[in-house]
Amino acid sequence: MGISIVEAIPLRIKRDEAYLGGIPQAADPAAYFTRPPYRALYSAYFETAFVKITTDDGIIGWGEALSPVAPEVVCTIIEQLLAPVLMGRDPLDGNVLWNVMYDLMRERGYYGGFMLDAISACDTALWDLRGKLLNQPVYKLLGGAFRERIPCYVSGLPRPTAEERVSLALEFVEDGFSAFKLAAGHGLRADAASVKALRDALGEETALLLDAHWVYALDEAVQLGHALTDQGVGFFEAPINPEDIESHARLAAAVAVPIAHGETERTRYQFRPWLMQKAADILQPDVGRAGISETIKIAAMAEAFNVRMAPHLSVGLGICISASIHVAAAIPNLYMLEYQPPVFAIANMLLESPLICEAGYYEIPSGAGLGVELDEGRLLDLQA
């Protein structure tokens, strides 16, 4: 038994609302745009990259890379660099194959970014394959489930005013959700006021989280961190530029609110200094960027430092979401998993059987492998 086909599939789906709010009217749907005060590129589409790995006896495994921009880059890496070394190999040799892929460009400095996104997609597909070959769900192959369902927080609340964000959060509260993350970075007073408005409306029992998108300097982050502590915020995510580990360590030492970091990193090697320098209290690797194998290793390393995991899960669709749920089930040090309702709805549109998230919890998909299958007919229609 060996791998006989490796296919990479880029996908763009038009959307009307993004994580940070509506799409700018002037945005060219064929181009990317920035959204001040944030510096990253954004797309008017949901963009992702799937990989389909087939064995010579016809068993299929699906993977997905988090690809919010330029999914063709990930697909080119898979087709030109990774597929040739996977062909003919035994999909059960997962750890070996991860290292084979990682070593291809390691000495040239490609141990992050698009290269690791591509490796992660293939790694997830190989886990899906192994589960199907052994007729076991992925979480079982990872050592079993520590929990029967996965606690999650609603991420984003994409409304322009505090009043509208409160109103949206209250709608989710009626449906049983009790944890929310705000997209912040609009200034110290505005961010603190936004959190306070939610706290006043939702009460002390609701978990509130804040994502600053790396816009603050250390002194600003310390000021905001104290304000968030007073509001009982569960974590302060991405406060300072991700390269500045030392400032994050100083921030973590100065404030009581837990500091969260990780969507920018891909490997245990990149997370190690964050743990060694006590720069993060909660790690947030994204399975769509780190893959299942590496996320599990990061979680094990974090456990040794008594650090919790809150896996990042943004615009990855059904394969990313299912893989993240399996990982969240299999790690002992889980805090919560991210949940974006608009993304979740589009993800389910592409699946033969829907994923379920209700009343603040994901259900673990049943069945072998990841427990989900892409609707290839629907996928082809969207590519047309």
Side-chain angles (χ1 to χ4, degrees), residues 24-183:
Q25 291 184 355
D28 179 355
Y32 298 113
F33 57 87
T34 57
R35 188 197 298 275
Y38 313 117
R39 294 163 287 181
L41 284 175
Y42 294 91
S43 173
Y45 293 81
F46 282 106
E47 301 193 14
T48 195
F50 295 113
V51 61
K52 178 182 179 183
I53 298 181
T54 307
T55 65
D56 49 22
D57 52 359
I59 307 300
I60 293 170
W62 286 100
E64 183 183 358
L66 183 60
S67 301
V69 297
E72 294 86 358
V73 176
V74 168
C75 291
T76 298
I77 292 171
I78 291 171
E79 291 169 347
Q80 294 191 16
L81 304 183
L82 304 182
V85 301
L86 293 175
M87 297 294 287
R89 301 296 295 259
D90 187 338
L92 296 179
D93 293 339
N95 196 45
V96 172
L97 293 178
W98 188 94
N99 281 275
V100 167
M101 291 187 287
Y102 186 71
D103 284 343
L104 293 175
M105 300 292 283
R106 185 182 199 174
E107 66 185 50
R108 298 182 176 115
Y110 293 99
Y111 33 72
F114 288 114
M115 183 69 187
L116 265 292
D117 299 344
I119 291 172
S120 298
C122 293
D123 176 73
T124 295
L126 290 169
W127 277 102
D128 189 32
L129 257 182
R130 287 194 287 278
K132 290 170 179 174
L133 290 167
L134 299 173
N135 197 30
Q136 293 291 329
V138 165
Y139 73 82
K140 281 285 189 184
L141 301 184
L142 294 172
F146 283 89
R147 51 200 64 84
E148 295 182 355
R149 53 185 188 155
I150 310 303
C152 66
Y153 61 87
V154 176
S155 183
L157 296 179
R159 295 293 183 269
T161 68
E163 293 77 13
E164 289 173 296
R165 288 190 287 272
V166 166
S167 178
L168 181 58
L170 288 171
E171 292 178 21
F172 283 109
V173 169
E174 290 181 3
D175 291 331
F177 291 87
S178 60
F180 301 91
K181 185 171 80 176
L182 282 171

